[in-house]
Amino acid sequence: MLTLFHSPLSSASRFIRLVLGEYNISTQLIVEHEWARRHEFLALNPAGHVPVLLAEQEVPLSGAIVIYEYLDETHGSLRQENKLFPENPLDRGEVRRLNDWFLNKFENEATRHIVRERIYKREMPLTIGGGAPDSQILRNARANIAPHMNYLNWLCASRDCLVGSKLSYADLAAAATISVLDFLGEIDWDQSPAAKDWYMRIKSRPSFRPLLTDRIRGIVASPHYADLDF
Amino acid sequence: MLTLFHSPLSSASRFIRLVLGEYNISTQLIVEHEWARRHEFLALNPAGHVPVLLAEQEVPLSGAIVIYEYLDETHGSLRQENKLFPENPLDRGEVRRLNDWFLNKFENEATRHIVRERIYKREMPLTIGGGAPDSQILRNARANIAPHMNYLNWLCASRDCLVGSKLSYADLAAAATISVLDFLGEIDWDQSPAAKDWYMRIKSRPSFRPLLTDRIRGIVASPHYADLDF
């Protein structure tokens, strides 16, 4: 069985859990706190980030982009149907662009800071930066959510899925990111009706179920988080 | 002919120029200043970053990761030999991990800040952040070069190329990043002898020649920058 080192509120980890779910690959999950910089984990991935997948022969694959390309090559591309990459190389380029947008750009401009200020800093020792949230950082990160949601809403208004009419890795990457912010009650859904319709569809997939039942110590999810019809 | 929007001191742009050179794909080059946020360019890539490749039918492909995967699918994977991806999916994972390391991690911790403070801020209007370099930012970015060079030196000391014994995208991504810092005279080669040997080999490839003859207005390259034996 494969092993995934992940963190429940990491968008990149959630994305890989969704891909594993879509491919019905059963995986042992191990929670890793990046901020703890555990030696054994740094030996697997010197960059210190989740997710890390222990693949065949226990070889570590580090980072969401590396892992999903590997899972596509070893599982996705072998499928007859319901592939998560479109056939056309230009469309695959668009999927990869959106994956980077949601897993890196959106993450670095908003999600990462909100998770760190609101959640991680409560658990981290003071000596490594733990403590009360920095309200200025939170304010800046929150201000960055709206333009990203407008962009997602615009994408969802013009197409069934983010790239064309079929589910792709881009839908899973975007939904993973959104699910973290939705868990924390940071999304104003009234402003993004097309994105809301799209997210309800992705959230109803069986691969999403484990994410909706995640329990995180000391945190209560936003009231509608696990509702499939919210 | 394909068109590449690039910037001479962008590691990601240089990486794509090297890949195009290795595949002998002749390309029209257009210099784009990201900081100018030109409307026509933002319409091609809303993220605002170079490189952007106009592929078949003028479809824009944005970002180095998207572009090299596209070039691999449409050119690299069709080759009989001298492919830039190894055959084994786990080795391809290692290539992708290192590409991310050099093009994103190293870039965001060091190169990007040095280029912005030393070069771009001289050209940018004061109204959008131009002016004298911030010495604190420069100091922090420079301090981050050494651990990255130590890591590269460690990789080079144990293998001929960064992944196994054959040239791969990882060598081109790392050399692209290093070449920007070397152009600016920011690398202390005495501390990294194995990396120096490796870089001399990569730098001698025909694909590298156009990068060594780049002239950038108002900037003199470090004395050894274009020497193949330095």
Side-chain angles (χ1 to χ4, degrees):
Chain A
M1 193 192 282
L2 304 182
T3 299
L4 184 74
F5 293 84
H6 79 117
S7 176
L9 290 179
S10 136
S11 310
S13 298
R14 286 180 166 232
F15 168 55
I16 296 303
R17 289 169 69 195
L18 290 174
V19 175
L20 290 164
E22 290 290 332
Y23 290 152
N24 285 313
I25 303 172
S26 63
T27 312
Q28 181 191 9
L29 295 178
I30 296 179
V31 172
E32 186 69 39
H33 299 296
E34 290 176 349
W35 50 261
R37 299 188 62 75
R38 199 165 59 90
H39 287 301
E40 295 82 355
F41 183 66
L42 289 173
L44 292 177
N45 179 13
H49 297 306
V50 287
V52 171
L53 182 75
L54 289 189
E56 312 150 40
Q57 305 136 37
E58 307 282 286
V59 174
L61 290 164
S62 301
I65 304 293
V66 169
I67 298 172
Y68 92 82
E69 294 277 2
Y70 172 82
L71 292 173
D72 192 75
E73 291 181 349
T74 53
H75 292 80
S77 63
L78 311 174
R79 291 184 141 203
Q80 300 282 348
E81 50 190 19
N82 299 330
K83 289 172 190 258
L84 292 170
F85 256 141
E87 290 298 322
N88 182 315
L90 291 171
D91 290 340
R92 283 200 289 275
E94 178 66 356
V95 169
R96 290 189 174 106
R97 181 183 77 84
L98 291 174
N99 290 346
D100 180 61
W101 186 287
F102 288 101
L103 296 175
N104 291 321
K105 188 171 167 66
F106 195 167
E107 184 74 10
N108 286 324
E109 291 173 3
T111 319
R112 185 163 74 79
H113 305 288
I114 291 172
V115 171
R116 184 179 168 92
E117 295 302 321
R118 283 191 49 191
I119 310 300
Y120 293 167
K121 280 174 75 171
R122 303 195 315 193
E123 302 176 8
M124 290 162 67
L126 287 172
T127 47
I128 58 166
D134 181 319
S135 57
Q136 183 63 48
I137 294 177
L138 261 183
R139 206 161 31 239
N140 292 346
R142 281 176 171 149
N144 287 338
I145 294 176
H148 279 290
M149 287 305 294
N150 289 345
Y151 184 55
L152 178 64
N153 196 59
W154 176 79
L155 290 172
C156 293
S158 60
R159 353 180 173 174
D160 275 352
C161 289
L162 295 192
V163 180
S165 57
K166 281 178 157 175
L167 184 84
S168 76
Y169 292 109
D171 297 285
L172 303 180
T177 306
I178 299 302
S179 76
V180 172
L181 292 171
D182 192 45
F183 183 94
L184 297 172
E186 296 280 356
I187 293 184
D188 179 359
W189 286 111
D190 291 342
Q191 301 300 314
S192 312
K196 185 177 176 181
D197 280 354
W198 161 86
Y199 183 56
M200 264 180 2
R201 273 186 288 125
I202 307 293
K203 195 171 155 178
S204 305
R205 298 187 68 80
S207 64
F208 224 94
R209 218 166 289 149
L211 273 61
L212 297 178
T213 55
D214 264 354
R215 293 284 169 273
I216 301 169
R217 197 181 56 193
I219 312 166
V220 180
S222 66
H224 61 267
Y225 170 70
D227 287 355
L228 295 183
D229 187 11
F230 63 106
Chain B
M1 193 192 281
L2 303 183
T3 300
L4 183 74
F5 293 85
H6 80 116
S7 177
L9 290 179
S10 136
S11 310
S13 298
R14 287 180 165 232
F15 168 55
I16 295 303
R17 288 169 68 196
L18 290 174
V19 175
L20 290 164
E22 289 291 332
Y23 290 152
N24 284 314
I25 303 172
S26 64
T27 313
Q28 180 192 11
L29 294 179
I30 296 178
V31 172
E32 185 69 38
H33 298 298
E34 290 176 350
W35 50 261
R37 298 188 63 76
R38 198 164 61 88
H39 286 302
E40 295 82 352
F41 182 66
L42 290 173
L44 291 178
N45 179 14
H49 297 306
V50 288
V52 171
L53 183 75
L54 289 189
E56 311 150 40
Q57 305 136 36
E58 308 282 287
V59 174
L61 290 165
S62 302
I65 304 293
V66 169
I67 298 172
Y68 93 82
E69 294 276 3
Y70 172 81
L71 291 172
D72 192 75
E73 291 180 349
T74 54
H75 292 79
S77 63
L78 312 174
R79 292 182 139 205
Q80 299 283 346
E81 50 190 18
N82 298 331
K83 290 173 191 260
L84 292 170
F85 256 142
E87 290 299 323
N88 182 317
L90 291 171
D91 291 339
R92 285 199 289 277
E94 178 66 356
V95 169
R96 290 189 174 106
R97 181 183 77 84
L98 290 174
N99 290 345
D100 181 61
W101 186 286
F102 288 101
L103 297 175
N104 291 322
K105 189 172 167 64
F106 195 167
E107 183 74 9
N108 286 325
E109 291 173 4
T111 319
R112 184 163 75 78
H113 305 287
I114 291 172
V115 171
R116 184 180 168 90
E117 295 302 322
R118 284 191 49 191
I119 311 300
Y120 294 167
K121 281 175 76 171
R122 302 196 312 194
E123 304 176 7
M124 290 161 67
L126 286 172
T127 47
I128 58 166
D134 181 319
S135 56
Q136 183 63 48
I137 294 177
L138 262 182
R139 206 159 33 238
N140 291 346
R142 282 174 170 150
N144 286 338
I145 294 176
H148 279 290
M149 287 304 294
N150 289 345
Y151 185 53
L152 177 63
N153 197 59
W154 176 79
L155 290 172
C156 293
S158 59
R159 354 181 172 174
D160 275 353
C161 289
L162 294 192
V163 180
S165 57
K166 282 177 156 177
L167 183 85
S168 75
Y169 293 108
D171 297 285
L172 303 180
T177 306
I178 298 303
S179 75
V180 172
L181 292 172
D182 192 45
F183 183 94
L184 297 172
E186 296 279 357
I187 293 184
D188 178 359
W189 285 111
D190 291 343
Q191 300 300 314
S192 311
K196 185 177 175 181
D197 281 353
W198 161 87
Y199 183 57
M200 264 180 2
R201 273 185 288 124
I202 308 293
K203 196 171 155 178
S204 306
R205 298 187 68 81
S207 65
F208 223 94
R209 218 166 288 148
L211 273 62
L212 297 179
T213 54
D214 264 354
R215 293 285 169 270
I216 301 169
R217 197 180 56 193
I219 311 166
V220 180
S222 66
H224 61 267
Y225 171 69
D227 287 355
L228 294 184
D229 186 10
F230 63 105

